[in-house]
Structure formats: structure tokens, C-alpha cells
Amino acid sequence: MSWIGRLLGRKRLEDSLDRELQFHLDSRVEDLQRAGISPDEAMRRARLELGGVEQVKERARDARGTRFVEEWWSDTRYALRAMSRAPTFTAAVVVTLALGIGATTAVWSLIDALLIRSLPVERPEDLHALRRVGNEDGTYRVSYPMLQRLQAAAPTGVLLSGMSATVRMYASTGAQPEGVIAQLVSGDWFSLLGVRPVAGRLMTRADDETLGNHPVAVVSDWYVQRRLGGDRSIVGKTIRLNGASFTIIGVTEPGFTGLSVGTAIDIWIPTQMQHVVRYASNVSTSNADNRQPWVPQEGIAWLTVVTRMSADAARAAAEPLDRTFRLAVQDQSRTLDSARAVYAMREHLVPEPFARGFSPLRQQYADSLKALLASVVMLLLIACGNVAGLLMARSAARSHELAVRVSLGARPGRLVRQMLTESLTLALIGGAAGVLVARWGSNTLLRLASGSTAAIPLSVPVDAKMLLFALGASLLTGLLFGLAPAIRVHGISLHDAFKAGGRVLGRAGHRLPLGRVLVVVQLALSLLLMMTAGLFVQTFQNLVGIDAGYERERVLSARIDLSAGGYTSDRLSSLQQRLLDAVRAVPGVQSASLSLTGVAGGSMRISGFAVPGRVLPADDNNGQENVVTPEFFETVGISLIAGRPFGDADRFGAPRVAIISEATAKHFFGTRDVLGARFGYGSPPEFEVVGLVRNARVNNIRETPRRLIFYPLAQRPDEYVTSVEVRTAQRAETVALAVKAAIASVDASIPVREITTLGKLLERGLIRERLVARLGSAFGIVALLLAGIGLYGVISYSVSRRMSEMGVRLALGASPGRVAEVVLRDALLTVAIGLAFGALLSLPAMELVEKLLWGITPHDSRTLVGAITALLVVGSVAGLIPALRAARVDPVEAIRAE
Amino acid sequence: MTTSKTDILQGTLDMLVMRAVADEPLHGYALVDRLRIVSGDRLQIPQGSLYPALHRLEYQGFLKSEWGPTKTGREAKFYRLTAKGRKQLEAEVADWKELAKAISLVLRTA
């Protein structure tokens, strides 16, 4: 019989063993009786010779080799029975654990999705991206001619493929255009990645050869599922992208959404089609005209180069690629002035592992998620402490039962194992429930993190890795909180347990020190969590409180896309005027303006400048440009310090003017006295400064104010503005719909992406801080409560054990107040020790979150004092309740019970 | 009962049990009797250890058990030696003889 069969045939074997031993005893008794011994005596002797039927059975079972599993099974059943007998206790423990394990798993699975998981492509470890390093902000972008040069220089067999940044475009297959995420890629991009089509075919090199000549598009399965309800018959149909027609040639396999984690691509088109769809994001230009097609231009860097080669091959290829890159850069820098040439020559090109793809989310959330994981693990530890306390109290209450079992021959090790089985069973049930919590929690977290109604398209599947993590967390948890009661079992003394007449007494003077230790640890960890919560909340408040340099609540910003409407540059001016007129006519609107990039909207254009008579460092000569209508400053609330705003005189053909911010003035001219000063892209300097405005944080609230440069839209009539700013008399939200309608009344085909206040846009940049502050506070409060409950449990347990002592004290004349004081002092001493440890621990621990803080030091004393005060208050309450109970003890009752 | 009780050397119980059932299948109680008689009342098997040993040997595949009627007509569990057990027994007996020889040599010279 096999081992498992033996286990399954357990019942039969047990019967057989019974009968076998019975037969032995019967035979022996018969023999003895035949020898003239009385039946009773014969039975006694037979048993004596055999040496205890149960012991023999036990050893025979051992010999069968299935005993461990048998006992484990019976332990588990015993544990389940014990749990069903105490449903409230069980429910409390399971819910606590489910929340703890679930929250930990949720945060972990986000970390996995964002920071650990590789791209869903063939052999992701072989993917590399070429990165330009040497200057402080490394970049991946190169020009198309550079890509071709690198392809030629690459070792044979090594493919190099280019891809643009991901960009929002407007697509229509029928009526209404809708926003999609698009990317421009080289023809061999898909074959390099090893992505296969699920319908149709993917692009090849032949689809990306001549400028403007390849109106083909590949869509992702994600797009087909989400927008077309899974209808793959879209292959062969036409789709309009930003006004241009493309033929859909294929659909990528499910699961592949591009190389940017957290950004799912809907549609890919060839790089040669850049100017056709007017792709214009993420670009650095020098000596180039970005209104002309980008593909042939040397000075426009817009493509990230990805390649597939083993780590060894990458090392070997690095040198020739870098040499090619630098030769070309050297060649081009002859036309640059010396300062820029020096800047350019500092650069090198290096292959960088790319197995996990790009992730703006990763950069943004890595530290926060790690901090949250640490917090949630601490929370789990605190919860473990409470569960351990509960189990310990229960095992203390059961010490009589356990003593009986020991005296009946159970080995202490066996009892320890049983206690552990109970804890592990509890933990596993909690863990199973935790997986559900995790599933819900990670989606909620993602929604919170994405900050808008549309969740970030990041799949956080319930996969083997996540289940394994949950299982590991459950087992560890079970061991952690199960160990304490198990240790206690080991210490059971039969003598004491029975001496107390079945009542719980424990060892003399034994004050549950293990419980104390647990509570001290809980308090210390709670202090850490309270501190981080306080720091995160203050960071958020600090950030919200920063003066942005403009009005937030009464200014709306509407994001529009004129290029999607198919407007050509010659029709732009009149369209812009009609837009302004329509919006101004909306009741409640005080003023309105148009601008190239808007405020707090996330897009920016940065250019390098020259100032006559001043030497600006080549790598620090840039400013952030915006092109605006005259009322922009008045509308947004950026105040003018000197000079004048733009006016009607600043029209096309008139002398070119600019308004600059304080930061620009200081850096470019070293003075605030800048009216009439000149600067430009080269020489002669094109622009005359006519106004100076206050600094403004136009990109996000935490930046140091950028160097801002504004131009009048009238002097750059072919710019496609993307933002309408509206200043309102009353609450902005009420006007938003009317503004949207006004824009649509000018031309219904102009997509309005969103319309919201500048304040809301700014807060979007603080999603991370808000998320961390909210979750951090939640964790802190839960930790505070758990620690309070833990302390309450330990103190009230010790009070119940010291009832008679209290009775004696009272009988001897101690006042109830004095008795309460003894208990309370005991509680507060425990709190003090815990807080002292916590404060010590906080010194190194808070350093770890420093990166996430703003405007506050990690060792902020007010925060520390605040956290300590909160814990002291909770600790006092937790100690006061049992203290009052102790004071109300009836001395006669207490002493009689002894 | 016999008074001259000889402690059974560690590890030799298995060998004795196998030898006892080598000639014919026996149940546990008969096995005790058999060993006692064959050894001229010198060996008293600790009965508490007998059954675990039988179960262990069966688990190892040296013995095989079967329920069958005794001479008195009751049902008892009979153990017999398997082929694998016979080989094991031979090996153990050979080892034992070697050891006994060695020990007696030592005792003679010392």
C-alpha cells in the first residue's frame, strides 16, 4: 500500500490495529487463566506486559510513517472545531488578518505591476534602449537621421528600431472623433519585440520607407476590446487620425499594450507619417524647423531607440554605437557656437536594459509605494500583536485543559504544534479572505493614483505571484502571532495549573511579560505610523498652500485641439477670434484668453536663448515659452510688475515683443530692470522685452519657478493653441458647461478634452501626495486604535489576574483611587517604554521617507510631539478602563474567590 | 513466567522477529511464545515493542500480513517473511555472526 493509500485507509488500519492488540490480550488472558490466575488479575497482568495499549498503538502508528500528516489533519480539525465554538473571536481575528494581509498584498501587487514585472514580449531581458548620458538630464531621444546612422553601425543581426513618445490623438472611424493614445514606430518595431498579430498583419520595414507615404495603422487588442467590443473585423477599414486617413492593417495580440507601463497604446503608425498627423510632443530641437516634416531633419530629436541583444552583445555593441553617435554630434556641432558644442560633446550613447519598459508611473510612485508597503507591513505586525494577545489570553484560559492533556501523555511539542496549527489555520483563512480584499484594494489604489475617472490601464491580475505572496504573508503572520501562545504552552507547569484548582494562575509572579513585549512593539510601530501620517499630511498641506503665482479657483482652463478639426494655419486667426468672442459672451465670464500650452496642464515648450553681451552657460540657457493672447495675464492672474501687457499694436509684422518672468530676468539679464532689453534664439536678437511679470509655477506646484517667456499670439499666427483660459465672476464650475457649449457653437468638431479650474489641475500634480497622505493617515489611525486595543487587552488581563491582590489592598485600607492609580501607572509605564522605543526607531526610519516630504524635515519635533500625545491619550484611555474596574473590586468577593 | 530475562540488544529485535516468521506465518502472540520456547526461556520479548516492530517491518516491505483463523478458530493477523525480507534476514544474520565472532575473540584475548 502506498503512503497516501495508507493514509486514506486509515480507518481500516486503525480497526486492524485494535483487533490485533485485542487478540493478543485475549490470548494472554486465556493462557494466564489456564494457569490458574483469576480473570481480573490475568487482565491486569496482560495489560502490564504489553505496556499500555494506547502507547503501543501510538508507536505502531509511528512505524507506519504517516503519523505526522495524520496528526496535522486531526490538529486542523481540532482547530476548526475550536474556531467554530468561538465565532466572535474567530471572526474578529479573521477580519483583522484579512484586512492586514489583503492591504499588504494589494500594495505589493501594485509594486509588482509597476516596478518588478517585465514587459509581455519575447525574452524581455534582451531589450535595451539607447540612452544619451553625460549631461545632467539624460534623454533617450535622437533624430531620425541619427537612428539610420546607428542602424548602419550596429553589428550584423542587431536590429535597432525607433519609437516616438506616446501621444494623444483624435481618431474617428465614423462620426464623433475620440481621444486615443498613439505612438509612431519604425517598421520593424513589432518584429524586433516579437509581437504577433491576432488579426491581419503588423507593420514591416516596407511600411515605413518614404516620407508621408504609408497611411497604415496597427491597433491594439486593448483598443479593439474597449472601443469596438472586440470586433476584429475592423482590419482593412479606414480610421481618421488627427484628420488624416489610415488603413488598419492588423491587431496586436492580447496583453501587449506597448512599452510604457501604465499607458496602454491604442494605435501605432509609421514614423514617416509624423507631419501628416502633426505629431509634436516630446522633442528637443536645435537649428531646425519643427513645422517641417521631422524625419529628414538632423536637429530634431524625437525617437527612442530600442534594440534586442543579449547583455554580452550589448557590451560589445556599445562602443561602435557610441563612436558613431559622437562622430555625428561632432560633425553637427561645427555649426554651433562653442558653448553649445561643448555641451553636445559631453554626451555619450549607452545601451540600457529595458526589460521593464518605460514607466512615468514607476518614477512617480516607486518611493511612495515602498513607503506604503512598509507602513502596511507595520500595520500587519501591529495586527499580529493583537491577534497574538488574543490567542495568548485564550491559551492562558485553556492552560488547565492543556495541563490535563500533558498529564495524559501528550508531548509538549505536540501541543505546541497544535497551537501553531490553530494559528496557521486562522492565518490561512484570513489570507484567503485577504486575496479578495487585495483584489478590491489594488483596483481602488489604482483609481486613487490615477486621480481621474479613468483608471490607469495597468493590469493587476490575481496571478500565481500574487497568491504566493498572500500565502507567504499568511504563513509568516500565522507563525508570528502563533509563536507567542506556543511559547507559553511550553512553559506550562502541571503543578501550578492544578494547584490553582483548575483556575488560571500561571507561574507565580508571572505578569505576561511576553504580552507586555508585544504591546511595547505595537506602540513603537504605531508611533512610527502616526509620525509618517503626520509628515505626509503636512507635506500635502504645505504643497497645497504654496502660492502658485496665479488665481486658482476662479479660472477655468479648457483643453482644445484645433489640429484635430483639420484647420490649416491660414484659417487659424479668424477661428481664434471667433472662439474668444464666443467664450467672452458667456454670462459670468469676466475675461478670456487663448494660449499655446495653458497653465498647470502638463505640456511645455522649452527653447535655448542668447542674450547679447551676456554669456549664458550652454546647458543652462533655456526658457519655457508660451504664446498667448493679450488678456492672458489679466485672466489667469499673473501680475505685471513692470512694463505693459501685449496690445493690439503687437500684431504680425510689428516689432517682435516678449514678456518675461522675474526668474527669466534674473538669469538672462541679472537685473529686474529689463524693459527694452533684447534677446533671441540667435543673433540678431529678435525679441524686445516689453513687460515683466511675477514668477508663477505653471507646470506644477512644487517646481522652482521656471524661466517663463511669453509671446503675443498675433505675432505667431500659425501656432495651434491648446488652451482657453476663462476668468469667472462667481464659482467657476457653474460656468464650465456654458463655456464648453460656446466652443462647440463655433465648431462642433473641435474636441474639448476637459474643462476644469486651475486649482483642480494643480491638485492633479499632487495626486501622489494626496494618496500617500490619505492612506498614511488611515494606517496611522488604525495603528493607533489597534495599539490601544492591544494595551487595553494586556492591562485588563493583568487586572483580572490580580483581582485578589486588589481586594487585599482595598481590604487593608487602600483607597479605590490608589488602586486605580497602581493600574494606570502600570499602563502608562508600558506606553512610555513603547514610545521611547518608537522615538528611537523613528530617527533612522523617518530618514527613509525624506524624499517624499516637502517643506518639513523628517524629524519635525512638532509632529513627534503630536504623535506621542495622541498615543498617550489613547494609552491613558486604554489603561483607565481596567483601572476603574480594579478600583470597583469588592474586596470580600475578590478574596473569597481565591 | 521466566525469571531469567535477557535484554534484547538494540537492533536485534527485528532480526529475531524475521527469523521467527521465516519458517511459517505467525501472529504476534504466537511469535512471543515461539521466541521464548526456542531460546529455552532465555529471551523475553518486550511485548510493547513487538507490535511497532511488526508494523515497521511490514512498512519496510520485509513482512506481509494476512488475517486468518488460528488453531482455536479465532481471527488473528499472521505475518510472513517476504522475499525481500528473507534477503534482509540473511544479511543481518551474517552481520550478527561476524559481530559475535569478533566480540568472542575480544573477550577471549582480553
Side-chain angles (χ1 to χ4, degrees):
Chain A
M1 204 188 298
S2 72
W3 181 82
I4 193 80
R6 216 184 305 277
L7 193 65
L8 294 173
R10 208 171 69 92
K11 175 112 183 68
R12 215 155 42 81
L13 277 168
E14 281 294 309
D15 281 350
S16 160
L17 185 58
D18 273 347
R19 279 163 62 205
E20 186 176 17
L21 292 177
Q22 194 57 52
F23 171 79
H24 180 99
L25 282 176
D26 289 351
S27 307
R28 185 68 188 144
V29 169
E30 274 170 33
D31 280 356
L32 287 171
Q33 276 180 312
R34 220 173 288 135
I37 294 168
S38 74
D40 285 353
E41 177 61 14
M43 184 58 96
R44 200 187 66 82
R45 269 207 213 168
R47 282 187 186 280
L48 213 59
E49 284 168 15
L50 194 58
V53 177
E54 285 309 312
Q55 275 88 333
V56 172
K57 276 193 194 172
E58 192 85 324
R59 287 172 55 204
R61 283 183 208 121
D62 265 349
R64 279 209 301 268
T66 54
R67 169 166 174 151
F68 182 84
V69 184
E70 274 171 32
E71 284 182 357
W72 171 79
W73 175 233
S74 84
D75 280 354
T76 308
R77 276 187 317 179
Y78 188 86
L80 289 172
R81 261 208 311 277
M83 277 149 66
S84 65
R85 271 203 304 269
T88 327
F89 166 81
T90 308
V93 170
V94 167
V95 167
T96 309
L97 292 178
L99 289 177
I101 296 170
T104 316
T105 310
V107 176
W108 183 83
S109 55
L110 270 192
I111 288 185
D112 173 53
L114 220 48
L115 309 180
I116 301 172
R117 206 190 296 155
S118 288
L119 292 168
V121 300
E122 268 178 23
R123 288 177 290 116
E125 66 280 2
D126 282 356
L127 285 185
H128 289 79
L130 301 184
R131 186 176 170 87
R132 300 166 72 151
V133 297
N135 288 313
E136 71 262 46
D137 285 336
T139 161
Y140 292 95
R141 293 190 294 269
V142 300
S143 69
Y144 189 87
M146 181 67 86
L147 169 64
Q148 287 182 308
R149 221 171 273 128
L150 293 171
Q151 282 169 334
T156 42
V158 172
L159 283 181
L160 266 68
S161 190
M163 61 183 190
S164 74
T166 60
V167 65
R168 199 178 173 82
M169 287 188 188
Y170 289 88
S172 58
T173 46
Q176 201 61 27
E178 52 177 3
V180 295
I181 304 295
Q183 187 175 31
L184 284 67
V185 296
S186 295
D188 51 11
W189 190 73
F190 290 103
S191 57
L192 180 136
L193 295 178
V195 176
R196 280 172 290 270
V198 71
R201 65 177 184 88
L202 302 182
M203 278 183 230
T204 63
R205 200 172 289 185
D207 291 310
D208 191 33
E209 282 185 327
T210 52
L211 193 62
N213 224 1
H214 301 285
V216 294
V218 170
V219 294
S220 63
D221 183 65
W222 152 263
Y223 174 76
V224 172
Q225 298 299 334
R226 201 169 40 110
R227 298 291 174 87
L228 307 173
D231 178 14
R232 288 177 183 145
S233 68
I234 189 167
V235 174
K237 299 224 170 89
T238 299
I239 188 169
R240 290 182 73 77
L241 274 178
N242 281 5
S245 292
F246 286 80
T247 304
I248 295 175
I249 56 170
V251 181
T252 57
E253 58 195 321
F256 180 76
T257 53
L259 301 186
S260 299
V261 177
T263 308
I265 313 276
D266 295 309
I267 190 159
W268 290 273
I269 55 175
T271 54
Q272 299 283 357
M273 303 302 281
Q274 174 270 331
H275 62 290
V276 178
V277 292
R278 286 184 283 273
Y279 169 84
S281 358
N282 283 48
V283 60
S284 10
T285 60
S286 76
N287 283 353
D289 182 354
N290 59 21
R291 277 162 297 193
Q292 296 301 312
W294 289 3
V295 166
Q297 296 195 66
E298 194 72 70
I300 299 190
W302 60 293
L303 293 170
T304 297
V305 184
V306 287
T307 170
R308 179 182 281 288
M309 44 194 181
S310 66
D312 289 337
R315 266 191 295 279
E319 206 278 319
L321 288 175
D322 185 42
R323 183 154 17 94
T324 309
F325 172 78
R326 285 174 62 77
L327 273 175
V329 168
Q330 202 168 15
D331 209 32
Q332 287 152 34
S333 59
R334 293 214 184 93
T335 60
L336 300 174
D337 57 72
S338 60
R340 283 203 220 180
V342 168
Y343 177 76
M345 287 314 294
R346 274 210 297 266
E347 282 195 311
H348 284 273
L349 198 65
V350 294
E352 195 172 76
F354 199 58
R356 293 175 302 146
F358 277 124
S359 177
L361 282 177
R362 182 181 305 149
Q363 290 143 19
Q364 204 183 343
Y365 280 103
D367 290 332
S368 315
L369 280 176
K370 283 179 202 157
L372 287 180
L373 184 66
S375 307
V376 88
V377 165
M378 278 197 260
L379 200 62
L380 185 60
L381 286 177
I382 296 173
C384 276
N386 274 9
V387 175
L390 280 173
L391 281 180
M392 225 149 60
R394 226 164 69 103
S395 76
R398 275 163 63 184
S399 65
H400 183 65
E401 172 209 331
L402 295 175
V404 169
R405 293 179 60 180
V406 170
S407 64
L408 287 181
R411 288 161 291 146
R414 178 88 176 69
L415 288 184
V416 167
R417 219 174 73 202
Q418 195 203 313
M419 302 300 283
L420 276 179
T421 308
E422 283 194 41
S423 338
L424 287 177
T425 310
L426 272 172
L428 286 174
I429 295 174
V435 170
L436 298 178
V437 175
R439 186 88 194 101
W440 173 83
S442 54
N443 286 328
T444 307
L445 271 177
L446 254 184
R447 235 187 350 267
L448 284 175
S450 39
S452 58
T453 43
I456 295 169
L458 186 67
S459 73
V460 186
V462 178
D463 58 5
K465 241 193 311 186
M466 171 174 169
L467 291 178
L468 215 62
F469 179 87
L471 181 73
S474 313
L475 289 180
L476 205 65
T477 310
L479 278 179
L480 271 177
F481 70 72
L483 222 50
I487 290 169
R488 271 186 59 87
V489 170
H490 240 315
I492 281 183
S493 142
L494 289 186
H495 182 65
D496 287 343
F498 284 125
K499 188 178 68 185
R503 271 182 59 243
V504 183
L505 208 70
R507 273 169 286 178
H510 181 258
R511 279 215 208 158
L512 205 60
L514 202 53
R516 282 301 149 107
V517 171
L518 281 177
V519 169
V520 164
V521 171
Q522 283 182 306
L523 287 162
L525 292 178
S526 305
L527 184 72
L528 294 187
L529 287 179
M530 288 293 288
M531 271 203 79
T532 46
L535 292 174
F536 289 154
V537 166
Q538 286 172 81
T539 293
F540 181 65
Q541 282 168 349
N542 287 345
L543 287 168
V544 169
I546 294 172
D547 177 15
Y550 44 85
E551 166 65 35
R552 296 187 203 181
E553 300 315 319
R554 282 173 52 211
V555 180
L556 287 171
S557 166
R559 299 274 142 184
I560 55 172
D561 194 328
L562 299 182
S563 61
Y567 282 92
T568 48
S569 52
D570 50 309
R571 289 165 56 213
L572 279 178
S573 293
S574 69
L575 172 70
Q576 288 160 356
Q577 195 52 50
R578 276 184 290 143
L579 273 176
L580 277 180
D581 291 343
V583 172
R584 281 197 195 111
V586 173
V589 170
Q590 286 183 336
S591 67
S593 65
L594 301 174
S595 67
L596 177 67
T597 62
V599 172
S603 67
M604 59 175 91
R605 180 190 288 177
I606 292 171
S607 300
F609 293 95
V611 177
R614 272 182 75 86
V615 180
L616 298 181
D619 51 350
D620 199 17
N621 66 345
N622 57 21
Q624 182 172 341
E625 300 176 299
N626 203 350
V627 182
V628 301
T629 56
E631 304 84 353
F632 176 80
F633 302 100
E634 176 196 336
T635 304
V636 172
I638 297 181
S639 49
L640 199 65
I641 298 172
R644 61 169 177 88
F646 297 133
D648 291 340
D650 304 317
R651 50 179 188 275
F652 191 66
R656 302 188 73 177
V657 295
I659 290 176
I660 61 175
S661 69
E662 293 168 286
T664 321
K666 185 157 173 268
H667 189 73
F668 281 16
F669 304 102
T671 169
R672 281 161 60 101
D673 189 16
V674 291
L675 297 183
R678 301 191 72 85
F679 69 99
Y681 296 126
S683 56
E686 303 99 311
F687 307 112
E688 182 193 342
V689 178
V690 296
L692 176 71
V693 291
R694 268 189 65 199
N695 278 334
R697 295 177 158 88
V698 295
N699 301 304
N700 64 68
I701 195 82
R702 59 196 312 169
E703 71 181 354
T704 47
R706 296 289 182 98
R707 301 192 279 267
L708 303 178
I709 297 155
F710 300 91
Y711 309 109
L713 181 60
Q715 295 189 338
R716 295 191 168 202
D718 50 358
E719 294 283 8
Y720 287 85
V721 296
T722 64
S723 169
V724 183
E725 296 86 24
V726 182
R727 192 180 191 88
T728 60
Q730 65 287 59
R731 281 194 55 222
E733 278 87 352
T734 56
V735 187
L737 276 178
V739 169
K740 196 168 179 176
I743 295 172
S745 75
V746 174
D747 182 344
S749 74
I750 297 175
V752 178
R753 206 197 303 169
E754 66 175 338
I755 175 161
T756 184
T757 62
L758 297 185
K760 288 263 163 59
L761 284 175
L762 271 181
E763 266 185 40
R764 196 168 297 171
L766 297 177
I767 290 165
R768 184 187 74 181
E769 284 77 11
R770 192 170 49 196
L771 176 79
V772 169
R774 276 190 189 165
L775 285 181
S777 316
F779 293 163
I781 290 168
V782 174
L784 186 66
L785 289 178
L786 285 178
I789 294 169
L791 181 69
Y792 168 79
V794 168
I795 298 297
S796 65
Y797 177 73
S798 105
V799 164
S800 68
R801 277 184 45 260
R802 290 166 71 192
M803 272 307 175
S804 53
E805 177 198 331
M806 301 300 167
V808 171
R809 279 174 188 254
L810 287 168
L812 291 179
S815 70
R818 171 87 188 111
V819 168
E821 193 193 317
V822 168
V823 175
L824 194 58
R825 206 171 48 206
D826 183 28
L828 288 180
L829 184 70
T830 311
V831 174
I833 296 172
L835 292 182
F837 271 118
L840 269 179
L841 262 179
S842 80
L843 292 177
M846 293 303 120
E847 303 273 340
L848 300 176
V849 298
E850 188 166 12
K851 264 192 281 183
L852 297 171
L853 304 181
W854 203 95
I856 191 163
T857 67
H859 302 304
D860 182 60
S861 53
R862 272 185 29 227
T863 310
L864 179 63
V865 170
I868 286 177
T869 312
L871 276 166
L872 274 178
V873 169
V874 168
S876 308
V877 173
L880 202 58
I881 300 170
L884 291 179
R885 209 174 63 218
R888 280 198 303 269
V889 165
D890 179 350
V892 183
E893 277 292 316
I895 298 171
R896 188 185 295 150
E898 188 57 0
Chain B
M1 280 281 26
T2 171
T3 45
S4 68
K5 224 164 147 188
T6 309
D7 278 341
I8 293 183
L9 259 170
Q10 195 81 33
T12 54
L13 178 63
D14 287 3
M15 183 174 67
L16 293 176
V17 167
M18 283 194 282
R19 178 64 192 86
V21 297
D23 303 331
E24 56 172 331
L26 288 174
H27 54 74
Y29 188 70
L31 214 153
V32 177
D33 257 0
R34 167 72 60 92
L35 286 176
R36 184 174 54 81
I37 293 163
V38 169
S39 68
D41 266 356
R42 283 189 191 83
L43 280 179
Q44 176 65 36
I45 295 198
Q47 295 175 19
S49 304
L50 173 66
Y51 288 95
L54 284 169
H55 282 250
R56 184 170 55 245
L57 289 168
E58 186 183 7
Y59 175 61
Q60 291 168 334
F62 299 144
L63 298 184
K64 194 148 178 55
S65 70
E66 226 166 21
W67 285 88
T70 62
K71 279 173 228 153
T72 58
R74 287 194 55 181
E75 280 282 301
K77 197 175 178 188
F78 286 87
Y79 294 86
R80 63 178 176 76
L81 203 59
T82 60
K84 188 179 168 196
R86 200 166 293 277
K87 228 177 257 166
Q88 175 71 13
L89 177 62
E90 277 163 15
E92 279 190 26
V93 168
D95 282 352
W96 175 257
K97 282 185 177 156
E98 270 304 301
L99 183 66
K101 205 155 90 206
I103 290 175
S104 56
L105 277 175
V106 170
L107 292 180
R108 209 178 306 152
T109 55

